[in-house]
Amino acid sequence: MVAGLQGYRGNTLELLKKSGVSIGDLVEVKTTRMTVQGSLMPRYEHADEQHIVLKLKNGYNIGLQVNDILEIRWIAKSTSPAFKSPEAPKLDPQLPKVAILGTGGTIASRVDYRTGGVHPQFSAEELYLVVPEIAKYAQIHTELLFNVYSEHINADHWEKIAEKTAEMIRDSYDGIVIAHGTDTMGYSAAALSFALADTPIPIVLVGSQRSTDRPSSDAALNLIGAVTTAAKAPFSGVYVSMHHTIDDEAVALHIGARIRKNHTSRRDAFESIDTSPAAYVRNGELEVIHKDLPTKDKPQQSFKARYRFEKKVALVKFYPSFDPKIIDYLVDSGYRGIILEGTGLGHVSEQCYDSIAWATERGILVGMTSQCIWGRVRLTVYDTGRDLLRRGVIPLDDMFPETALVKMMWALGNTKTAEEAKTLMLQNIAGEFIARSPIERRPRD
Amino acid sequence: MVAGLQGYRGNTLELLKKSGVSIGDLVEVKTTRMTVQGSLMPRYEHADEQHIVLKLKNGYNIGLQVNDILEIRWIAKSTSPAFKSPEAPKLDPQLPKVAILGTGGTIASRVDYRTGGVHPQFSAEELYLVVPEIAKYAQIHTELLFNVYSEHINADHWEKIAEKTAEMIRDSYDGIVIAHGTDTMGYSAAALSFALADTPIPIVLVGSQRSTDRPSSDAALNLIGAVTTAAKAPFSGVYVSMHHTIDDEAVALHIGARIRKNHTSRRDAFESIDTSPAAYVRNGELEVIHKDLPTKDKPQQSFKARYRFEKKVALVKFYPSFDPKIIDYLVDSGYRGIILEGTGLGHVSEQCYDSIAWATERGILVGMTSQCIWGRVRLTVYDTGRDLLRRGVIPLDDMFPETALVKMMWALGNTKTAEEAKTLMLQNIAGEFIARSPIERRPRD
């Protein structure tokens, strides 16, 4: 028994021992309901004792109740070898130089079938093995900055990514890809959009909704879209590369400050808000949609990032019976900025007015966005909007809440006074404001 | 000067006086840029001194800078008479009995062109005048419960609406329409879905994104859809009646616990989340889409609402660098429930774990939803989800954050213990959980 029976306990462990099988082995399990074949998976530390887990041929895991099991039959030793780095392919020195930075998340990992462990795929050679197409478009350099689930990524991580990316821009890379977990990729894309505003090259965040061990994985196509864009886009700026639809038909390149994860699990979960994607990649070809994207003619060697983020900024969602004492608490706790996620055109109940005035009088920036997500805040339509304007609330037009939060953290982090930060909040730094048009259209119409 | 020059001040007031015009008069104004005709509108109390406002023939208001004005010419006295209640149409006593309850918002008001004031349209006669079609479908009884902007509506209002509606259910109405401002109509629809669960008749909330003085108003069509449904739907339950698309083609009847306002201003701003509308109304005809809607065969006289709402429940949206002390603050402030709006499948950073455990150990209900809005929370996919489960977090599946908040307020308000409330949270009370299907579909696909 090389791999042992990691994670199994109690009578389940006893049963497996008795059957003479090890983790990674191909086994057949007969239960009161069915007979299935699959590889025996290890168990997580906190999993219950009453199930064994098989990985089926189709890539899905199945848990089998130990009391239902009639028989476990060993069929074969694990056939998948431990993951080994292959040889690097021969590279064309004429190809653009692209860096892929790893931060964690599904796209940067591969489930090792033999151990069930997650293996970060982060030498260039390993990426070439899994997605060989990328070698056609670029000479890849890879670097793992950290490897965390994206729900744990915070402003400190943004600062590190921005600093490293700026260094690579000065180091003459043609484009940079940042692999990122999808949970907070929208926030990180906004953060880099501001921190790396005026980047002379394309920076592309990329993630995956399904891990590479699943037959429906979107990892390869999204990565190809990202590398293609980094290598040969005629524009600069910060983008997110994700599936355009649930099919493998195209990858959408979304503007970093206009992107939101709008579904928990679908491959096309990411949507550009109130605009279309900037471009698509189909069969390795880039189709540019937006006509006004930033150009690539700026000098790289002198590029400087503005990558500080103020952490004392809160995003507060309003709802009926919301207690304004929550705002008072933030004021008392030394917050420097608050983004309100109001209703409709940007409203909160009149019970909140005093607390808001108290905050702005103390120099705290209070910005208004809408929980509708689509559309724009307008505080001049109704009395209640004007009531908020007179109390110093900053209407943030069509910037949606998540981007507004990140921008306020950035604006306060890179200025000396609240007044300067407020001025930045109202400037269009990275396409976060969509130009007004007489008819508002959502991309899904 | 009957109506005077209400709201005008300073040199603007002087100019108007000098020109001999009054509010409501048809005037022609010549500026350095153009010449326009329109009715002189009154000014809001806090409006600036430097503009006069005309209502143009097309219904839109225009503000004219006083310094640009070359001449103001009086053309005619106001022609629109003060709003008078017309005669009630003859009613067919065979028609269903429908009550329309007013709570405020755009649909229940009409701008009086003569004074510019907002006139609540709330006798049945006045509604018949503006939307004569409704008299074909029902005998209408109207009642104005209150008249507030919906951003001010809170759980106390929900209790009043629910109590009154329950009374009318017992009073043998065939259906009840509730006119409501759109800002928080989704929250109120969820509140009534739970408070009036098992209603034997249809209850329909209706709003309008554009007021009735605008040529593009959606008020009439939405109201016709609501009254049609209240009068002749073969199903019971709580619904929201709003435009299905931006055209006047159909009204969608959304399930009250699955509806969200997803645009600040569009007429089709309301969308059913992760499901289709329950029904449509086209040309006065009801087309039922959902097959499993509740029936109408329950007795009305014995109907009882469960209409208490606990106000000490907070909706907390997670974001990168979120400070868990905000959770500690809620615990210390006596909150009984917290709905977290996590990322992706329902995650928050590990920095929050201790505060969450501290909350649940003290008997506070902590429910997890996703800020993705679409899709479902699943805490068994990743380690970080299981970390939350072990700390007592309740995964709320595909209930989206706003409905989850309202349901927790209701569950805690109508039970004696947190344990009972938790049980209610996981039961499907009003269609708030969508049945699982192998392929998740959004209505916009």
Side-chain angles (χ1 to χ4, degrees):
Chain A
M1 269 201 250
V2 179
L5 289 164
Q6 184 198 332
Y8 285 102
R9 296 191 302 267
N11 55 345
T12 311
L13 179 63
E14 287 312 308
L15 175 65
L16 290 170
K17 273 187 184 168
K18 212 176 61 182
S19 309
V21 298
S22 300
I23 282 165
D25 288 354
L26 182 66
V27 300
E28 182 173 277
V29 180
K30 201 166 157 185
T31 76
T32 50
R33 297 178 212 184
M34 55 181 166
T35 300
V36 284
Q37 283 194 3
S39 302
L40 184 65
M41 296 289 287
R43 292 293 273 155
Y44 293 96
E45 187 188 348
H46 311 294
D48 75 84
E49 293 186 6
Q50 298 306 314
H51 290 81
I52 72 161
V53 177
L54 296 189
K55 183 169 285 288
L56 307 181
K57 257 196 180 159
N58 60 15
Y60 284 90
N61 291 347
I62 184 172
L64 299 166
Q65 239 286 343
V66 70
N67 293 333
D68 289 346
I69 293 175
L70 303 174
E71 189 193 347
I72 300 180
R73 197 163 65 84
W74 180 91
I75 298 184
K77 272 281 156 210
S78 163
T79 47
S80 47
F83 196 80
K84 271 184 207 154
S85 297
E87 297 290 302
K90 274 203 179 124
L91 289 180
D92 180 353
Q94 302 297 319
L95 284 176
K97 226 173 79 178
V98 168
I100 304 183
L101 304 179
T103 66
T106 314
I107 201 157
S109 61
R110 174 179 181 278
V111 172
D112 184 333
Y113 285 86
R114 203 178 65 86
T115 67
V118 171
H119 182 91
Q121 250 167 1
F122 245 88
S123 75
E125 289 69 25
E126 286 167 357
L127 281 173
Y128 287 140
L129 178 79
V130 188
V131 190
E133 293 92 334
I134 57 175
K136 286 196 293 188
Y137 303 119
Q139 309 177 65
I140 306 285
H141 165 80
T142 60
E143 195 160 334
L144 191 61
L145 294 186
F146 32 82
N147 193 14
V148 297
Y149 282 129
S150 82
E151 55 266 40
H152 303 326
I153 284 197
N154 58 38
D156 294 326
H157 297 97
W158 298 341
E159 295 184 353
K160 281 188 196 118
I161 304 171
E163 218 178 338
K164 181 73 197 174
T165 307
E167 193 186 306
M168 293 186 132
I169 290 171
R170 290 190 295 271
D171 206 16
S172 301
Y173 276 90
D174 294 291
I176 295 166
V177 172
I178 297 159
H180 198 291
T182 59
D183 266 37
T184 60
M185 186 160 64
Y187 293 95
S188 294
L192 296 176
S193 297
F194 299 120
L196 303 171
D198 293 320
T199 165
I201 63 169
I203 315 287
V204 189
L205 290 94
V206 62
S208 154
Q209 288 277 82
R210 313 277 167 91
S211 63
T212 44
D213 66 316
R214 297 267 299 270
S216 61
S217 176
D218 50 341
L221 197 70
N222 294 346
L223 187 61
I224 293 168
V227 172
T228 305
T229 306
K232 60 182 189 183
F235 49 78
S236 59
V238 176
Y239 303 90
V240 169
S241 168
M242 289 293 286
H243 261 57
H244 175 44
T245 64
I246 54 166
D247 302 318
D248 285 337
E249 175 250 335
V251 168
L253 273 296
H254 304 275
I255 292 171
R258 296 295 317 178
I259 180 71
R260 195 175 188 282
K261 183 173 182 176
N262 285 339
H263 198 282
T264 59
S265 61
R266 283 170 61 118
R267 306 199 293 169
D268 59 347
F270 283 81
E271 292 183 305
S272 287
I273 302 298
D274 282 324
T275 186
S276 74
Y280 298 102
V281 176
R282 282 189 177 86
N283 305 319
E285 291 303 316
L286 197 71
E287 180 195 351
V288 183
I289 303 298
H290 280 234
K291 299 300 168 215
D292 52 354
L293 298 173
T295 55
K296 290 176 85 172
D297 47 14
K298 290 153 276 183
Q300 286 194 224
Q301 282 65 29
S302 57
F303 179 76
K304 276 207 180 87
R306 288 201 282 178
Y307 57 81
R308 293 290 168 214
F309 290 90
E310 167 64 56
K311 281 92 186 177
K312 283 285 194 186
V313 180
L315 173 58
V316 176
K317 182 162 178 167
F318 172 79
Y319 45 84
S321 290
F322 173 85
D323 188 341
K325 289 205 193 78
I326 293 174
I327 297 172
D328 301 340
Y329 164 77
L330 296 172
V331 174
D332 294 342
S333 304
Y335 274 74
R336 295 188 58 209
I338 298 171
I339 295 293
L340 293 171
E341 206 174 290
T343 61
L345 295 166
H347 302 130
V348 296
S349 72
E350 53 204 353
Q351 281 78 30
C352 299
Y353 292 173
D354 286 350
S355 296
I356 289 172
W358 173 239
T360 57
E361 281 159 18
R362 293 169 67 115
I364 296 168
L365 292 188
V366 178
M368 180 61 79
T369 62
S370 175
Q371 58 191 250
C372 294
I373 303 172
W374 285 269
R376 63 185 70 247
V377 158
R378 288 181 65 197
L379 297 186
T380 51
V381 177
Y382 294 104
D383 286 349
T384 48
R386 286 184 287 263
D387 287 340
L388 291 170
L389 284 180
R390 279 186 295 119
R391 285 167 177 85
V393 169
I394 311 164
L396 293 175
D397 204 299
D398 59 5
M399 229 195 308
F400 54 92
E402 293 86 353
T403 290
L405 167 77
V406 173
K407 187 175 179 186
M408 196 176 266
M409 294 172 79
W410 172 80
L412 285 166
N414 294 285
T415 51
K416 290 207 179 69
T417 67
E419 208 45 50
E420 281 175 78
K422 181 178 171 180
T423 304
L424 273 186
M425 285 305 290
L426 296 169
Q427 283 171 13
N428 200 3
I429 304 287
E432 68 273 25
F433 293 114
I434 292 293
R436 287 167 187 245
S437 71
I439 297 166
E440 289 166 3
R441 290 200 180 282
R442 284 178 292 192
R444 60 202 202 225
D445 293 322
Chain B
M1 270 202 252
V2 179
L5 289 165
Q6 184 197 331
Y8 285 101
R9 298 191 301 266
N11 55 346
T12 311
L13 179 63
E14 288 313 307
L15 175 66
L16 290 169
K17 274 187 182 167
K18 212 175 61 184
S19 310
V21 298
S22 300
I23 282 166
D25 287 354
L26 182 65
V27 300
E28 181 175 276
V29 179
K30 201 168 159 184
T31 74
T32 51
R33 298 178 211 183
M34 56 181 167
T35 301
V36 284
Q37 284 195 4
S39 303
L40 183 65
M41 296 289 287
R43 292 293 273 155
Y44 291 97
E45 187 188 348
H46 311 296
D48 74 84
E49 292 186 6
Q50 298 306 315
H51 290 81
I52 73 161
V53 177
L54 295 190
K55 184 169 285 288
L56 308 180
K57 256 195 180 160
N58 61 14
Y60 285 90
N61 291 346
I62 184 172
L64 300 166
Q65 239 287 342
V66 69
N67 294 332
D68 290 347
I69 294 175
L70 303 174
E71 190 192 345
I72 300 180
R73 197 161 66 83
W74 179 91
I75 298 183
K77 271 282 157 211
S78 164
T79 48
S80 47
F83 196 82
K84 270 185 206 152
S85 296
E87 298 289 303
K90 275 204 176 123
L91 289 179
D92 179 352
Q94 302 297 319
L95 284 177
K97 224 174 79 178
V98 168
I100 303 183
L101 304 179
T103 67
T106 314
I107 201 156
S109 61
R110 175 179 181 277
V111 171
D112 184 331
Y113 287 84
R114 204 179 64 87
T115 67
V118 171
H119 183 91
Q121 250 167 4
F122 245 88
S123 75
E125 290 70 24
E126 286 166 356
L127 280 173
Y128 286 140
L129 178 79
V130 187
V131 191
E133 292 91 335
I134 58 176
K136 287 196 292 188
Y137 303 119
Q139 311 176 63
I140 307 285
H141 165 81
T142 60
E143 196 161 333
L144 190 61
L145 295 185
F146 32 83
N147 194 14
V148 296
Y149 282 130
S150 82
E151 56 266 40
H152 304 326
I153 284 197
N154 57 38
D156 293 326
H157 296 98
W158 297 341
E159 294 183 353
K160 282 188 196 119
I161 303 171
E163 218 179 338
K164 181 73 196 175
T165 307
E167 194 186 305
M168 292 185 133
I169 291 172
R170 291 190 293 271
D171 206 16
S172 301
Y173 277 90
D174 294 289
I176 295 165
V177 172
I178 297 158
H180 198 291
T182 58
D183 265 38
T184 60
M185 186 160 65
Y187 294 94
S188 294
L192 295 176
S193 297
F194 299 119
L196 304 171
D198 294 319
T199 165
I201 62 169
I203 316 287
V204 189
L205 290 93
V206 62
S208 155
Q209 288 278 82
R210 314 277 168 92
S211 63
T212 44
D213 67 318
R214 296 267 299 270
S216 60
S217 176
D218 51 341
L221 197 71
N222 294 347
L223 188 62
I224 292 168
V227 171
T228 305
T229 306
K232 60 183 190 183
F235 48 78
S236 59
V238 176
Y239 303 90
V240 169
S241 169
M242 290 293 286
H243 261 57
H244 176 43
T245 64
I246 53 167
D247 302 318
D248 285 338
E249 175 250 335
V251 168
L253 273 296
H254 304 275
I255 292 171
R258 296 295 317 179
I259 180 72
R260 195 174 188 282
K261 183 174 182 176
N262 285 339
H263 198 281
T264 59
S265 61
R266 285 170 61 118
R267 306 199 294 171
D268 60 346
F270 282 81
E271 292 183 306
S272 287
I273 302 298
D274 281 325
T275 186
S276 73
Y280 298 101
V281 176
R282 282 189 177 86
N283 305 320
E285 290 303 316
L286 197 71
E287 180 195 351
V288 183
I289 303 297
H290 279 234
K291 298 299 168 217
D292 51 354
L293 297 173
T295 54
K296 290 176 84 171
D297 48 13
K298 291 153 275 183
Q300 287 193 223
Q301 282 66 29
S302 57
F303 179 77
K304 275 207 181 88
R306 287 200 283 178
Y307 57 80
R308 293 290 168 214
F309 291 89
E310 167 65 56
K311 281 92 185 177
K312 283 284 193 188
V313 179
L315 174 57
V316 176
K317 181 163 179 167
F318 171 79
Y319 46 83
S321 290
F322 173 85
D323 189 341
K325 289 204 193 80
I326 293 173
I327 297 172
D328 301 340
Y329 164 77
L330 296 172
V331 174
D332 295 342
S333 304
Y335 274 73
R336 294 188 60 208
I338 297 171
I339 295 292
L340 292 172
E341 205 175 289
T343 61
L345 295 166
H347 303 130
V348 295
S349 72
E350 52 203 355
Q351 281 79 30
C352 300
Y353 291 173
D354 287 350
S355 296
I356 288 172
W358 173 239
T360 57
E361 281 159 20
R362 293 169 67 115
I364 295 168
L365 291 189
V366 178
M368 180 60 78
T369 62
S370 175
Q371 58 192 251
C372 293
I373 303 171
W374 285 269
R376 63 185 69 247
V377 157
R378 288 182 64 198
L379 297 186
T380 52
V381 177
Y382 294 105
D383 287 348
T384 49
R386 286 185 286 263
D387 286 340
L388 291 170
L389 284 179
R390 279 185 296 120
R391 285 167 178 85
V393 168
I394 311 164
L396 293 175
D397 204 298
D398 59 4
M399 230 197 304
F400 54 92
E402 293 86 353
T403 290
L405 166 78
V406 172
K407 186 175 180 186
M408 196 175 266
M409 294 171 80
W410 171 80
L412 285 166
N414 295 286
T415 52
K416 289 210 180 67
T417 67
E419 208 44 52
E420 281 175 79
K422 181 178 171 180
T423 304
L424 274 185
M425 284 306 290
L426 295 169
Q427 283 171 14
N428 200 4
I429 305 289
E432 68 274 24
F433 294 114
I434 292 293
R436 287 167 189 247
S437 72
I439 298 167
E440 289 166 3
R441 290 199 182 281
R442 284 178 291 194
R444 60 204 202 223
D445 294 322

